């Protein structure tokens, strides 16, 4: 890992670190970025940090105001719904392709990942979310479509803030228990090459995801009703 870091500029490192802090909620939505303090904590000058901030701004993760005041972008139902809609299209495609293209190694990786899953509830928190992501990444890679994998990895990253918001809501344990069961069903369908059924199950899985839960909560907060 140390050797790999030689290929990254300080701006790249600042970008990766800030992006991770934003998506994980360490830097909460709406919080102000104290640029000089951040630069000092990252052991770099302000210039690479500002380059990183420009990249994050282009992704919509931070908002740069007129007097160089930078804040983590607030979460809103419109962005959450857009992320949800794209995943609702791409995740079933990944499941379908995985059922058609999975190798023995892919199957072993998915089965190992599904065995480590925990119910995605507040009780299990971050540990469950990380295991959940590892499973979906294993499924995406079984599609053997590099463009699709990159798109879904990026969507997953950008949905993380909304997924964590959904985790804080009180929907009850039943939906998350259903999610756990659906992961096992997905592996079975993919292993048995049942592509259309895997895609259908994945679509339903995304429909009842944590991001979908967050959309409803945000719409209520914003006074929005989508019909």
């Amino acid at each position: 890992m140390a050797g790999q870091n030689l290929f990254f500029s300080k701006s790249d490192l600042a970008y990766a670190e800030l992006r991770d802090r934003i998506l994980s909620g360490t830097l909460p939505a709406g919080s102000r970025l104290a640029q000089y303090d951040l630069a000092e904590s990252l052991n770099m000058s302000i210039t690479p940090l500002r380059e990183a901030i420009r990249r994050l701004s282009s992704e919509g993760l931070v908002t740069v105001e007129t007097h160089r005041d930078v804040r983590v972008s607030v979460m809103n139902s419109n962005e959450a719904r857009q992320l949800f809609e794209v995943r609702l299209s791409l995740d079933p495609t990944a499941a379908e392709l995985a059922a058609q293209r999975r190798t023995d190694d892919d199957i072993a990786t998915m089965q190992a990942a599904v065995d480590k899953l925990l119910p995605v509830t507040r009780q299990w928190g971050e540990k469950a979310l990380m295991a959940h992501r590892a499973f979906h990444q294993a499924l995406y890679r079984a599609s053997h479509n590099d463009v699709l994998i990159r798109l879904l990895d990026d969507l997953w990253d950008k949905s993380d803030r909304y997924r964590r918001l959904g985790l804080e809501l009180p929907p009850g344990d039943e939906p998350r228990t259903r999610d756990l069961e659906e992961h096992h069903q997905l592996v079975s369908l993919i292993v048995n090459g049942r592509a259309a059924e895997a895609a259908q199950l994945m679509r339903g899985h995304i429909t009842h995801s944590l991001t979908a839960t967050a959309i409803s909560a945000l719409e209520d907060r914003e006074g929005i009703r989508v019909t």
Side-chain angles (χ1 to χ4, degrees), residues 122-135:
R122 272 179 285 183
Q123 177 185 354
W124 296 105
E126 194 67 24
K127 186 176 181 180
L129 287 176
M130 290 177 66
H132 187 210
R133 175 170 192 157
F135 169 77

Side-chain angles (χ1 to χ4, degrees), residues 1-226:
M1 291 297 293
Q4 291 179 343
N5 288 339
L6 295 176
F7 294 96
F8 293 96
S9 67
K10 286 190 174 183
S11 174
D12 291 331
L13 293 172
Y15 165 79
E17 178 64 24
L18 290 180
R19 193 173 192 270
D20 180 68
R21 293 185 191 184
I22 291 169
L23 296 175
S24 68
T26 304
L27 289 172
S31 62
R32 181 177 177 275
L33 299 186
Q35 296 181 56
Y36 285 96
D37 291 343
L38 280 170
E40 184 177 355
S41 72
L42 295 170
N43 194 30
M44 62 179 62
S45 70
I46 196 68
T47 300
L49 182 70
R50 284 178 174 162
E51 290 173 1
I53 286 171
R54 279 194 288 272
R55 290 175 65 183
L56 293 167
S57 176
S58 71
E59 293 182 8
L61 290 175
V62 302
T63 302
V64 181
E65 300 178 357
T66 52
H67 53 289
R68 292 188 176 273
D69 188 23
V70 180
R71 294 185 180 274
V72 177
S73 297
V74 297
M75 293 188 286
N76 61 82
S77 62
N78 184 55
E79 181 186 47
R81 182 166 292 281
Q82 289 181 22
L83 292 167
F84 170 79
E85 288 171 350
V86 179
R87 280 200 65 204
L88 196 60
S89 176
L90 296 187
D91 271 78
T93 300
E96 184 174 13
L97 291 175
Q100 296 168 350
R101 300 175 178 177
R102 76 282 184 271
T103 65
D104 289 343
D105 285 344
D106 293 326
I107 290 171
T109 301
M110 282 187 289
Q111 289 176 333
V114 82
D115 287 342
K116 295 177 181 177
L117 286 172
L118 297 165
V120 183
T121 63
R122 272 179 285 183
Q123 177 185 354
W124 296 105
E126 194 67 24
K127 186 176 181 180
L129 287 176
M130 290 177 66
H132 187 210
R133 175 170 192 157
F135 169 77
H136 278 267
Q137 285 183 317
L139 188 153
Y140 298 158
R141 277 145 186 74
S143 74
H144 293 275
N145 183 312
D146 292 340
V147 174
L148 182 61
I149 292 166
R150 286 195 297 271
L151 287 171
L152 283 167
D153 280 346
D154 185 56
L155 283 169
W156 191 279
D157 284 344
K158 291 179 179 177
S159 299
D160 254 355
R161 296 198 300 165
Y162 297 98
R163 196 173 288 112
R164 284 175 170 81
L165 173 61
L167 191 62
E168 292 302 313
L169 299 171
D173 288 335
E174 184 180 349
R176 308 280 72 88
T177 302
R178 181 195 59 228
D179 284 355
L180 186 63
E181 294 167 352
E182 286 175 352
H183 287 111
H184 288 273
Q185 294 168 18
L186 278 166
V187 172
S188 178
L189 291 171
I190 289 169
V191 168
N192 288 291
R194 294 159 65 179
E197 292 170 79
Q200 183 179 8
L201 179 58
M202 179 63 89
R203 186 172 182 84
H205 183 71
I206 300 302
T207 299
H208 298 98
S209 65
L210 283 169
T211 302
T213 302
I215 291 170
S216 296
L218 287 165
E219 286 174 348
D220 286 342
R221 185 184 300 173
E222 297 163 11
I224 296 172
R225 269 287 148 245
V226 177

